[in-house]
C-alpha cells in the first residue's frame, strides 16, 4: 500500500493512555500541532481497556455484595437471606455494570478529543525514520507523519512465564476487557502474588470463589513494605489459599479443568493444584513501537527506554513517559510524567519540570486495602541515621468503629532530626484515599508539625494522620 504523507507536526505521540493524552491536550492547548495515535481508537490505554478502571468497577461491586451480606451495617435488613442470583448470574450482572462504566468513560474521552485541537488517529504507529512515523489505520490506510518531538507512550503488556501451557492462562485482558464474558471461576488458580494477583483473588473470593495464589518469593507483594504484606497475608488466611515459594513449571488441561504444576523453592518437591481458571499475574513488560531502532534511544536490560528526571530518553527529541520506561507502572504516575514531558517540550527541551518518583503513592485494592508512599521502614533505616515512627490503630478510630472495620493501621515515618516525613504505610479501609494527603506532604517536604497542625475532618480516618504526627512532637 502507498504511504501518504499527510502531516508534519510539532509533536507526535504514540499511545493514548495516561502517559500520552495529558501531554497531548496540554501541548495542543499551548498551540503546538500534535498528532496522537492509538489502535484502541480512544483514550485511556490499558487502564481503561482492561486494568485499573474495570477491575475497580468489579471490585466495588464485589465489596458491596459482601458488605450487604455480612456487614454489620446490613442489620437493618435482617439476617442475610438467600441470594437472588447464583454466582454465575451475579458475575455476569457485575461484568455488564463494568462495561457500562468503561463505556461512560469512553464517551467522555471521545468528547474531550472532539473539543481539543489534537489530531487523533485510530491506528498503530511505527517509527520509519529519525523524524518520521507511519500510522496504519483500521481501514488499512497508511499515513506518514513527520515530527520535531516524539513521545513514546506505548505502555506495557502482561508478561507470561516461559512455561509449557502458558497460553492456557487468562490475564487481566480476558477478565476485564470491554465485553468480557469469562465464565465465573469457582476455583481460580492465580500465578503471581503481586498487586494484580492479590486484587483478583480477593475480588473472586468475595463473589464466592475459592482462589489459590502461587507466589515464587516468600512474601506476598514482593518488594512491598514487609509489615503491609504480612498484614495482607494474615487477613487472607481462611479466605485465599497461599502457596509461597512456589515456582510454577507448567499448565495442562484436564477435562474442563487445568492442572498447574509447581516446584517448592524450599525443598524442590513437585506439587500441583487444579482449578477451573488459571490467571497469569506475573507482572507487566514494556511495549516498544516497531522501528524504535531508527531513533538511537538506549534501552535498559528490561528493554525499557532509559530516561532522565525530565523523562527524556538518550535522544534529545524523544521522550518516554509512563509504563514504557518501567519506573512505576501506575496510571497516576504516567499522568504526572506526561505533564512533565509537556512542560519540558514547551520549554524547548530545557529541564523546566522534573519527575519525583519517590512521591508516587502505591495502592492495592484488596479487602482490606493497602497503600504506601515514600520510604518503607527498612529503606528509611538504611538511608537516615534516626527514624521515628508515628502510628495510629484503627481500633480507636471513630469512622472505623462506625463501619465496623477496625482492623487496620497507619504508620508515618519521620526523620528524627528534621521531623520531615519520609514515608507512610496504611492498611485498612480508606487506605487508598488516605495516602493522597501524605503524598502531597512528601512531595512538599512537610514535617510532623505541618501534619499535626492542620485539622482533618471528624469522624474520618484522616484524623489518624494528625494523631500519628502529634505522637512524635511530644
Ligand atoms: P501508560 O499508562 O503508560 O499510558 P497504557 O498501557 O495504559 O500505558 O497505554 C499505552 C497505550 O499505547 C495503549 O492504549 C496501547 O494501545 C498504545 N500503543 C501501544 N503500542 C502502540 C503503537 N505502536 N502505536 C500506537 N499506540 C500504541
Amino acid at each position: 500500500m502507498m504511504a501518504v504523507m499527510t502531516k508534519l507536526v510539532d509533536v507526535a505521540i504514540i499511545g493514548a493512555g495516561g502517559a500520552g493524552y495529558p501531554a497531548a491536550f496540554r501541548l495542543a492547548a499551548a498551540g503546538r500541532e500534535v498528532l496522537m495515535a492509538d489502535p484502541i481508537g480512544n483514550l485511556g490505554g490499558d487502564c481503561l481497556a482492561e486494568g485499573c478502571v474495570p477491575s475497580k468497577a468489579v471490585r466495588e461491586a464485589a465489596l458491596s455484595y459482601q458488605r450487604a451480606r455480612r456487614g454489620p451495617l446490613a442489620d437493618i435488613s435482617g439476617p442475610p437471606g438467600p441470594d437472588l442470583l447464583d454466582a454465575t448470574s451475579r458475575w455476569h450482572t457485575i461484568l455488564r455494570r463494568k462495561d457500562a462504566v468503561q463505556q461512560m468513560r469512553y464517551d467522555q474521552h471521545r468528547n474531550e478529543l472532539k473539543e481539543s485541537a489534537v489530531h487523533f488517529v485510530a491506528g498503530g504507529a511505527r517509527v520509519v525514520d529519525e523524524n518520521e512515523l507511519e500510522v496504519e489505520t483500521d481501514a488499512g490506510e497508511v499515513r506518514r507523519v513527520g515530527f520535531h518531538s516524539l513521545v513514546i507512550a506505548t505502555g506495557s503488556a502482561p508478561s507470561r512465564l516461559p512455561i509449557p501451557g502458558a497460553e492456557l492462562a487468562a490475564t487481566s485482558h480476558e477478565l476485564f476487557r470491554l465485553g468480557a464474558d469469562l465464565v465465573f471461576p469457582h476455583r481460580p488458580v492465580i500465578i503471581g502474588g503481586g498487586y494484580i494477583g492479590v486484587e483478583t483473588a480477593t475480588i473472586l473470593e468475595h463473589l464466592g470463589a475459592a482462589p489459590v495464589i502461587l507466589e515464587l518469593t516468600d512474601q506476598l507483594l514482593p518488594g512491598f513494605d514487609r509489615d503491609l504484606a504480612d498484614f495482607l497475608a494474615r487477613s487472607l488466611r481462611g479466605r485465599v489459599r497461599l502457596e509461597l515459594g512456589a515456582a510454577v513449571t507448567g499448565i495442562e488441561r484436564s477435562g474442563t479443568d487445568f492442572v498447574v504444576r509447581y516446584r517448592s523453592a524450599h525443598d524442590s518437591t513437585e506439587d500441583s493444584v487444579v482449578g477451573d481458571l488459571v490467571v497469569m499475574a506475573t507482572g507487566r513488560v514494556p511495549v516498544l513501537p516497531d522501528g524504535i531502532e531508527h531513533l538511537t534511544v538506549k534501552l535498559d536490560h528490561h528493554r525499557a527506554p532509559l530516561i532522565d528526571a525530565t523523562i527524556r530518553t538518550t535522544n534529545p527529541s524523544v521522550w518516554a513517559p509512563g509504563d514504557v520506561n518501567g519506573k512505576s507502572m501506575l496510571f497516576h504516575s504516567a499522568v504526572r510524567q506526561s505533564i512533565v514531558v509537556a512542560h519540558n517540550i514547551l520549554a524547548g527541551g530545557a529541564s523546566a519540570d522534573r519527575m519525583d518518583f519517590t512521591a508516587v503513592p502505591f495502592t492495592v485494592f484488596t479487602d482490606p486495602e493497602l497503600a504506601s508512599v515514600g520510604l518503607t521502614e527498612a529503606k528509611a533505616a538504611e538511608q537516615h541515621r534516626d527514624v521515628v515512627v508515628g502510628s495510629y490503630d484503627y481500633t480507636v478510630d471513630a469512622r472505623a468503629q462506625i463501619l465496623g472495620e477496625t482492623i487496620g493501621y497507619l504508620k508515618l515515618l519521620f526523620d528524627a532530626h528534621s521531623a520531615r516525613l519520609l514515608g507512610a504505610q496504611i492498611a485498612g479501609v480508606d487506605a487508598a484515599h488516605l495516602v493522597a494527603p501524605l503524598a502531597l506532604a512528601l512531595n512538599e517536604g512537610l514535617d510532623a508539625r505541618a501534619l499535626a497542625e492542620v485539622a482533618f475532618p471528624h469522624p474520618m480516618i484522616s484524623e489518624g494522620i494528625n494523631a500519628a504526627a502529634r505522637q512524635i512532637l511530644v
Side-chain angles (χ1 to χ4, degrees):
M1 171 153 315
M2 272 276 290
V4 207
M5 177 74 171
T6 50
K7 275 222 169 316
L8 171 65
V9 296
D10 296 317
V11 187
I13 301 182
I14 312 183
Y21 74 80
F25 289 148
R26 180 74 191 82
L27 289 161
R32 301 300 161 97
E33 185 138 35
V34 178
L35 180 136
M36 179 164 63
D38 195 308
I40 289 179
N42 205 327
L43 310 182
D46 270 11
C47 170
L48 179 51
E50 58 186 64
C52 13
V53 170
S55 65
K56 256 84 276 171
V58 174
R59 184 252 188 183
E60 293 305 327
L63 263 186
S64 64
Y65 169 71
Q66 260 315 309
R67 290 204 175 119
R69 281 197 72 208
R70 300 215 190 114
L73 305 182
D75 291 352
I76 43 171
S77 56
D83 279 335
L84 294 176
L85 297 176
D86 60 23
T88 301
S89 321
R90 194 183 310 124
W91 173 244
H92 283 286
T93 307
I94 289 174
L95 289 182
R96 296 299 72 85
R97 199 188 117 63
K98 165 201 79 67
D99 287 348
V101 173
Q102 283 168 295
Q103 211 62 71
M104 188 191 310
R105 295 198 61 72
Y106 278 131
D107 290 347
Q108 178 183 320
H109 285 323
R110 214 169 282 125
N111 287 333
E112 287 161 356
L113 266 178
K114 222 182 285 166
E115 282 163 18
S116 81
V118 173
H119 303 285
F120 182 71
V121 185
R126 58 179 171 270
V127 183
V128 291
D129 202 350
E130 210 183 338
N131 292 97
E132 223 168 82
L133 292 181
E134 264 182 16
V135 186
E136 186 165 355
T137 66
D138 284 348
E141 188 190 73
V142 179
R143 300 197 198 163
R144 281 217 159 184
V145 181
F147 56 81
H148 295 295
S149 302
L150 177 66
V151 179
I152 300 176
T154 40
S156 60
S159 75
R160 280 182 191 271
L161 292 179
I163 52 166
E167 71 287 351
L168 298 174
T171 65
S172 50
H173 178 76
E174 285 75 23
L175 278 164
F176 300 124
R177 71 175 168 83
L178 194 60
D181 54 2
L182 209 65
V183 175
F184 181 71
H186 291 270
R187 294 164 291 125
V189 179
I190 296 163
I191 306 177
Y195 77 97
I196 296 175
V198 293
E199 285 182 2
T200 305
T202 51
I203 289 170
L204 295 175
E205 187 264 333
H206 272 349
L207 294 173
V212 183
I213 294 179
L214 303 174
E215 164 55 39
L216 176 66
T217 68
D218 68 349
Q219 80 162 59
L220 281 180
L221 300 167
F224 219 63
D225 176 75
R226 186 86 211 198
D227 286 351
L228 285 184
D230 288 347
F231 176 91
L232 181 64
R234 272 197 307 280
S235 77
L236 294 185
R237 216 169 275 159
R239 295 165 50 198
V240 175
R241 182 176 145 201
L242 298 180
E243 293 293 339
L244 299 177
V248 174
T249 52
I251 308 169
E252 286 155 37
R253 241 185 238 287
S254 165
T256 55
D257 278 346
F258 299 96
V259 181
V260 182
R261 301 193 186 283
Y262 61 95
R263 188 180 311 117
S264 160
H266 306 294
D267 54 15
S268 292
T269 50
E270 307 275 341
D271 213 334
S272 64
V273 281
V274 178
D276 53 359
L277 175 76
V278 185
V279 179
M280 187 78 79
T282 44
R284 298 182 63 91
V285 286
V287 171
L288 297 173
D290 287 346
I292 191 165
E293 62 280 3
H294 293 293
L295 298 172
T296 59
V297 163
K298 271 205 190 119
L299 305 179
D300 68 14
H301 61 287
H302 296 297
R303 286 192 53 74
L306 278 172
I307 50 150
D308 60 19
T310 71
I311 317 294
R312 185 145 67 163
T313 68
T314 49
N315 177 334
S317 321
V318 181
W319 312 76
D323 283 14
V324 73
N325 66 43
K327 289 248 183 288
S328 76
M329 292 189 172
L330 299 164
F331 184 84
H332 48 283
S333 177
V335 169
R336 169 68 190 131
Q337 293 176 54
S338 191
I339 297 294
V340 168
V341 166
H343 288 161
N344 292 331
I345 289 178
L346 289 174
S351 170
D353 199 355
R354 298 168 80 80
M355 180 70 195
D356 180 3
F357 285 99
T358 58
V360 176
F362 200 99
T363 51
V364 185
F365 290 93
T366 39
D367 179 25
E369 224 162 82
L370 308 178
S372 71
V373 67
L375 300 179
T376 61
E377 211 168 339
K379 279 263 178 305
E382 259 171 54
Q383 295 178 19
H384 293 260
R385 225 162 9 109
D386 293 306
V387 176
V388 280
V389 178
S391 57
Y392 180 76
D393 199 284
Y394 275 32
T395 48
V396 302
D397 183 80
R399 174 168 161 83
Q401 291 163 353
I402 291 165
L403 292 174
E405 303 248 13
T406 52
I407 298 176
Y409 68 87
L410 195 150
K411 197 160 76 177
L412 306 184
L413 314 174
F414 298 95
D415 179 273
H417 303 287
S418 63
R420 213 163 54 85
L421 183 68
L422 302 174
Q425 288 90 43
I426 312 157
V429 73
D430 294 346
H433 266 305
L434 289 161
V435 79
L438 294 166
L440 174 66
L442 203 78
N443 201 46
E444 296 298 316
L446 299 185
D447 62 9
R449 188 163 301 282
L451 286 171
E453 287 179 354
V454 56
F456 286 146
H458 178 73
M460 300 301 284
I461 303 177
S462 51
E463 292 174 278
I465 296 175
N466 297 147
R470 275 198 303 269
Q471 248 176 36
I472 77 138
L473 294 176
V474 290

